[in-house]
């Protein structure tokens, strides 16, 4: 509120969003987007480790061909809960609700998001959904798979589908509210001079993400309600006996869930687009193309959903069209990859931890995207659908792409968030461990799937030749687990023992680096006025004398 | 926003308008219920859907203040939502319409 008068001793006791108020209620009732971002950070980290715990049990079961660790029913619950927790309670909120929440207002030069209280509400909805999901898991869990296809979910499963559905339904609204807040903030709260063409591409990526959250999430929410209605009231929506159609469920589900995969990857693309120019000391190559390809992904992402249904009995003509459109949607992603690569070209590249994650993202996202094209080809799809090939495909994108982007962003902005530096050596080591562990876990799954190992089997004793690759994968998962634990340990360590960070430790462009680390409650001491283009690294790196004679 | 819409547009108070819309919605619900008992063949669904669409439009226009919204962003949101709804329905129905087996 009142700006602190400049008294020399206050240099060290500068008021920041972290030390402005203390006590649990100053956090639980805060409307500061930065504090809400930290609330989200803690909550999604919690769910990440829950989801990871299930993953570990899945991999342990698959260590041997026999179904010896858990029962078949338990295994079904494990992969269901793993998928539901990771998708709806970790990956969808991951970057938008933490880094996005923290950075969107700062990057556009605003004091906060447009609706700070709605922002807090979204966190509470997430927590309510999360508690219901936890309760559901602790009292028996669900076994429908994260896709909860009918008729199994509507007519057969005797596990807690409705409870899980309610949890996802509520968490969906938290996602809608975040998207709403971002759209309005980006339209209405930009600082003077911050035109659309000067916005950081992180903002464009979040804008595109928000569009999907707003337009897609209501559809999956309604779909859950319809399944629940059919289950409880026997309305004929998906059941042919009652005049319904089971494939309709898949249409509705994937109308949301394919675009939802872009909710998970677009923000990571935004993160990488900030990191690469900074550590190559160059302006991003093809700003307009990168910005508009985000919007193109958001729009065309809604036109490809039936590529998840090629073997579900849809019309052949439909399948042809959706296959073609799936190829088309890969174009904007490819444009991005080319632009990142072109940005690297002749840059003065530095290999700090955020950049290592960005490199990891580049390679793994590309492999994941290209394997998506394999899957979008009708002939190959029939062969590998419902095998480990699909599992490898989406983990390359969601874990290799989105989680790498998330970790890269956490490292890049950690000095801003916490005001402390993390230990760089450990961070590079962790990035390397994650990269190795990831590939060791998921590359064998491409091979397994291609050779015909079906997904969602807990016992493969009739095909023991698959054991070697499964052992590799389980070993990799262990390495990956260590790689994920490390950053959590040294981030926490750095909060107490880390060296204080300067306002702009990377000498990066962007408004968030022009304010203090950690920032004051209202982000800027005075409203910023933007007179420069985004990613003006040439100007930032120009020697001071040359700046005075800037004419040419 | 609500005030400006009310003062600039209708002479009656916004409260009257809201109750009017509410009454219309109730009447339409009753109509839906009665029509369901008539034998119209496939047109039963058509009529039900048309009435439901009218009701949804009323809610959006009056309760969600789209009528007389000055904000371009609001209009953009409406147009985008309708467009994507059409995509959902259009491409789904395209599947059903072109299946060559059955
Ligand atoms: C960009 C981020 C992407 C993500 C996060 C992603 C994620 C996923 C997920 C989660 C599935 C599995 C669904 C399931 O069966 O449970 C999947 C399957 C599939 N993906 Fe992707 N995908 C992405 C990009 C692409 C691209 C670019 C294409 C094609 C151009 C593609 C084509 C497919 C196809 C065809 C399947 C269905 C495989 C099958 O079950 O038969 N994906 N993807
Ligand atoms: Cu898809």
């Amino acid at each position: 509120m009142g700006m602190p008068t400049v008294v020399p001793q206050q240099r060290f006791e500068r008021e920041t969003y972290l030390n402005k108020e203390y006590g649990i209620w100053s956090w639980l009732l805060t409307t500061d987007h930065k504090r809400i971002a930290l609330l989200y950070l803690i909550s999604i980290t919690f769910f990440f480790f829950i989801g990871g715990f299930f993953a570990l049990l899945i991999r342990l079961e698959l260590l041997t061909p026999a179904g010896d660790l858990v029962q078949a029913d338990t295994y079904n619950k494990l992969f269901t809960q793993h998928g539901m927790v990771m998708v709806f309670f970790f990956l969808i909120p991951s970057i938008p609700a933490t880094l996005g929440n923290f950075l969107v207002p700062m990057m556009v030069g605003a004091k906060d998001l447009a609706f700070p209280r709605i922002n807090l509400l979204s966190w509470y909805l997430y927590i309510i959904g999360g508690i219901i999901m936890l309760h559901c898991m602790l009292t028996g869990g669900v076994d429908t798979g994260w896709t909860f296809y009918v008729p199994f979910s509507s007519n057969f499963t005797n596990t807690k589908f409705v409870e899980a559905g309610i949890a996802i339904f509520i968490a969906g609204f938290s996602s809608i509210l975040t998207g709403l807040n971002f759209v309005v903030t980006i339209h209405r709260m930009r600082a003077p001079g911050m035109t659309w063409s000067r916005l950081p591409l992180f903002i464009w990526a979040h804008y595109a993400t928000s569009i999907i959250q707003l337009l897609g999430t209501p559809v999956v929410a309604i779909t859950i309600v319809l399944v629940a209605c059919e289950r409880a009231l026997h309305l004929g929506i998906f059941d042919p006996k009652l005049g319904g159609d089971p494939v309709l469920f898949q249409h509705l589900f994937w109308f949301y869930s394919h675009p939802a995969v872009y909710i998970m990857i677009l923000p990571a693309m935004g993160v990488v687009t900030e990191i690469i120019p900074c550590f190559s000391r160059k302006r991003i190559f093809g700003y307009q193309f990168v910005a508009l390809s985000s919007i193109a992904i958001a729009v065309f992402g809604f036109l490809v959903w039936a590529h998840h249904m090629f073997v579900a009995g849809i019309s052949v003509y439909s399948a042809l069209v959706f296959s073609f459109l799936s190829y088309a949607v890969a174009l904007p992603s490819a444009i991005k990859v080319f632009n990142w690569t072109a940005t690297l070209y002749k840059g003065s590249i530095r290999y700090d931890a955020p950049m290592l994650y960005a490199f990891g993202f580049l390679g793994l996202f590309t492999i994941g995207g290209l394997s998506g094209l394999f899957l979008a080809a009708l002939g190959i799809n029939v062969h590998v659908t419902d095998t480990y090939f699909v599992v490898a495909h989406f983990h390359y994108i969601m874990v290799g792409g989105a989680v790498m982007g998330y970790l890269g962003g956490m490292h890049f902005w950690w000095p801003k968030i916490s005001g402390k530096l993390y230990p760089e050596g450990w961070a590079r080591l962790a990035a390397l461990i994650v990269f190795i562990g990831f590939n060791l876990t998921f590359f064998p799954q491409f091979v397994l799937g291609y050779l015909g190992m079906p997904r969602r089997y807990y016992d493969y004793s009739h095909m023991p030749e698959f054991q070697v690759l499964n052992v590799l994968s389980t070993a990799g998962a262990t390495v990956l687990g260590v790689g994920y634990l490390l950053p959590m340990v040294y981030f926490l360590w750095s909060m107490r023992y880390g060296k204080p960070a300067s306002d702009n430790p990377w000498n990066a462009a962007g408004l968030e680096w022009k304010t203090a680390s950690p920032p004051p409650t209202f982000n800027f001491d005075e409203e910023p006025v933007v007179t420069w283009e985004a990613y003006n690294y040439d100007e930032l790196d120009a020697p001071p004398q040359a700046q005075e004679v800037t004419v040419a | 926003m609500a005030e400006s819409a009310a003062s600039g547009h209708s002479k009656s108070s916004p409260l009257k308008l809201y109750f009017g819309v509410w009454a219309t919605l109730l009447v339409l619900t009753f109509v839906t219920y009665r029509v369901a008992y008539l034998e119209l063949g496939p047109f039963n669904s058509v009529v039900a859907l048309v009435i439901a669409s009218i009701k949804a439009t009323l809610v959006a226009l009056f309760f969600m203040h789209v009528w007389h919204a000055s904000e371009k962003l609001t209009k953009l949101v409406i147009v985008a939502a309708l467009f994507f709804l059409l995509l959902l329905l259009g491409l789904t129905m395209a599947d059903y319409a072109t299946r060559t087996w059955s």
Side-chain angles (χ1 to χ4, degrees):
Chain A
M1 316 266 178
M3 238 187 284
T5 38
V6 188
V7 184
Q9 309 97 292
Q10 275 190 320
R11 277 236 319 271
F12 300 101
E13 271 305 319
R14 192 176 51 79
E15 188 182 280
T16 71
Y17 80 102
L18 288 173
N19 67 11
K20 181 160 189 287
E21 287 172 279
Y22 293 97
I24 183 85
W25 292 111
S26 78
W27 285 89
L28 291 184
L29 296 179
T30 184
T31 52
D32 181 340
H33 65 104
K34 298 180 289 301
R35 285 190 166 211
I36 296 171
L38 291 193
L39 292 177
Y40 261 119
L41 178 63
I42 296 166
S43 343
I44 66 164
T45 308
F46 174 74
F47 278 103
F48 181 65
F49 283 103
I50 301 222
F53 171 70
F54 291 128
L56 206 68
L57 291 180
I58 294 173
R59 282 316 322 164
L60 277 179
E61 169 59 67
L62 295 177
L63 194 59
T64 57
D68 39 15
L69 180 69
V70 294
Q71 309 263 300
D73 286 345
T74 312
Y75 186 80
N76 290 347
K77 289 178 183 170
L78 286 180
F79 70 69
T80 302
Q81 301 289 306
H82 166 71
M84 285 183 174
V85 167
M86 286 302 204
V87 169
F88 297 110
F89 292 92
F90 171 68
L91 217 42
I92 287 184
S94 64
I95 298 180
T98 58
L99 293 171
N101 232 333
F102 196 93
L103 293 165
V104 167
M106 245 184 273
M107 284 185 167
V108 302
K111 289 196 178 100
D112 205 314
L113 285 172
F115 309 118
R117 280 192 223 116
I118 288 189
N119 196 19
L120 183 63
L121 175 65
S122 102
W123 181 71
Y124 275 104
L125 288 178
Y126 170 86
I127 289 296
I128 294 171
I131 290 175
I132 297 176
M133 188 50 109
L134 280 178
H135 178 264
C136 167
M137 293 187 296
L138 290 174
T139 55
V142 211
D143 66 350
T144 57
W146 79 279
T147 49
F148 44 90
Y149 274 17
V150 297
F152 185 64
S153 60
S154 57
N155 292 13
F156 296 101
T157 180
N158 53 7
T159 56
K160 303 205 150 192
F161 167 74
V162 174
E163 193 173 339
I166 292 172
I168 294 171
F169 184 92
I170 295 177
F173 276 87
S174 102
S175 162
I176 294 177
L177 295 183
T178 304
L180 176 74
N181 236 328
F182 286 175
V183 169
V184 178
T185 305
I186 295 169
H187 271 272
R188 309 308 307 270
M189 315 257 300
R190 283 170 286 128
M194 182 54 93
T195 57
W196 284 90
S197 61
R198 282 177 180 165
L199 284 175
L201 291 159
F202 182 89
I203 298 291
W204 278 97
H206 274 75
Y207 187 73
T209 309
S210 307
I211 295 178
I212 306 177
Q213 286 175 313
L214 285 174
L215 292 172
T217 318
V219 179
V220 79
I222 291 294
T223 312
I224 292 172
V225 173
L226 290 178
V227 178
C229 283
E230 181 159 304
R231 224 179 132 80
L233 310 172
H234 305 287
L235 296 184
I237 298 156
F238 304 121
D239 185 349
K241 277 207 302 284
L242 303 170
D245 177 74
V247 177
L248 178 63
F249 170 86
Q250 297 188 25
H251 276 300
L252 293 175
F253 179 82
W254 288 112
F255 179 83
Y256 164 76
S257 291
H258 182 81
V261 305
Y262 291 110
I263 297 180
M264 305 176 222
I265 198 71
L266 271 166
M269 292 169 157
V271 167
V272 168
T273 317
E274 298 300 308
I275 294 177
I276 289 181
C278 177
F279 292 94
S280 333
R281 313 308 302 168
K282 272 180 68 187
R283 191 178 150 77
I284 186 85
F285 182 84
Y287 176 95
Q288 283 89 346
F289 277 91
V290 182
L292 292 180
S293 62
S294 290
I295 307 296
I297 287 178
V299 175
F300 292 120
F302 277 99
L303 299 178
V304 301
W305 77 80
H307 65 212
H308 297 269
M309 306 163 56
F310 286 155
V311 298
I314 57 171
S315 137
V316 206
Y317 303 104
S318 239
L320 283 175
V321 171
F322 274 105
S323 170
F324 173 78
L325 289 171
S326 299
Y327 273 80
V329 80
L331 287 178
S333 301
I335 289 177
K336 281 188 195 290
V337 172
F338 286 126
N339 281 290
W340 291 321
T341 319
T343 308
L344 292 170
Y345 180 64
K346 291 201 170 159
S348 21
I349 295 174
R350 286 186 8 218
Y351 297 92
D352 297 281
M355 188 62 160
L356 294 185
Y357 282 107
F359 277 130
F361 173 95
L362 265 183
L364 302 179
F365 171 72
T366 305
I367 296 179
L370 288 178
S371 61
L373 290 178
F374 286 44
L375 288 167
L378 290 173
I380 301 185
N381 184 281
V382 174
H383 178 65
V384 294
T385 189
D386 275 327
T387 69
Y388 262 87
F389 193 90
V390 176
V391 177
H393 155 67
F394 65 78
H395 281 88
Y396 261 78
I397 291 179
M398 291 153 91
V399 183
V403 179
M404 281 278 186
Y406 170 66
L407 285 177
M410 280 307 296
H411 285 81
F412 189 52
W413 282 290
W414 184 251
K416 182 57 65 185
I417 295 173
S418 68
K420 295 294 173 64
L421 296 176
Y422 58 81
E424 179 66 30
W426 281 101
R428 290 188 197 186
L429 180 70
L432 201 68
I433 294 178
V434 167
F435 185 79
I436 294 172
F438 175 84
N439 282 294
L440 193 56
T441 311
F442 292 106
F443 198 82
Q445 298 188 2
F446 272 130
V447 184
L448 276 172
Y450 186 75
L451 295 177
M453 168 138 176
R455 66 195 285 199
R456 297 179 171 175
Y457 273 33
Y458 87 120
D459 176 335
Y460 55 100
S461 36
H462 57 298
M463 34 193 179
E465 67 276 19
F466 290 148
Q467 187 176 13
V468 176
L469 288 164
N470 272 302
V471 169
L472 281 183
S473 183
T474 301
T478 322
V479 178
L480 191 57
V482 173
Y484 285 148
L485 276 174
L486 270 179
M488 202 178 76
V489 173
Y490 59 70
F491 278 152
L492 285 174
W493 175 89
S494 77
M495 279 164 64
R496 187 153 211 135
Y497 305 105
K499 291 199 202 93
S502 65
D503 293 350
N504 189 356
W506 311 114
N507 194 16
L511 279 179
E512 78 272 27
W513 300 108
K514 298 210 180 328
T515 186
S517 301
T521 299
F522 292 111
N523 297 343
F524 302 97
D525 289 335
E526 326 169 359
E527 185 180 46
V529 178
V530 182
T531 55
W532 57 87
E533 305 300 312
Y535 311 105
N536 53 342
Y537 282 103
D538 40 348
E539 287 166 37
L540 278 181
D541 291 347
Q545 295 95 324
Q547 251 172 1
E548 282 161 33
V549 249
T550 42
V551 186
Chain B
M1 213 196 282
E3 274 163 345
S4 70
S7 58
H9 155 61
S10 61
K11 278 151 210 110
S12 55
S13 77
L15 221 54
K16 260 190 198 158
L17 177 71
Y18 293 154
F19 277 114
V21 173
W22 183 51
T24 319
L25 290 175
L26 287 181
V27 171
L28 286 174
T29 308
F30 185 70
V31 174
T32 314
Y33 161 71
R34 293 310 297 233
V35 171
Y37 286 96
L38 304 180
E39 276 300 340
L40 300 177
F43 287 97
N44 273 111
S45 311
V46 175
V47 174
L49 283 171
V50 167
I51 297 179
S53 310
I54 295 175
K55 285 164 71 182
T57 314
L58 285 176
V59 170
L61 286 181
F62 297 104
F63 290 160
M64 298 168 91
H65 304 295
V66 172
W67 186 264
H68 276 223
S70 53
E71 202 67 55
K72 265 199 227 115
L73 187 54
T74 313
K75 292 190 178 136
L76 184 71
V77 169
I78 304 291
V79 173
L82 284 178
F83 175 71
F84 281 87
L85 182 65
L86 283 183
L87 277 182
L88 169 64
L89 298 178
L91 285 174
T92 302
M93 294 323 283
D95 165 28
Y96 288 105
T98 58
R99 286 187 194 171
T100 42
W101 52 80
S102 65

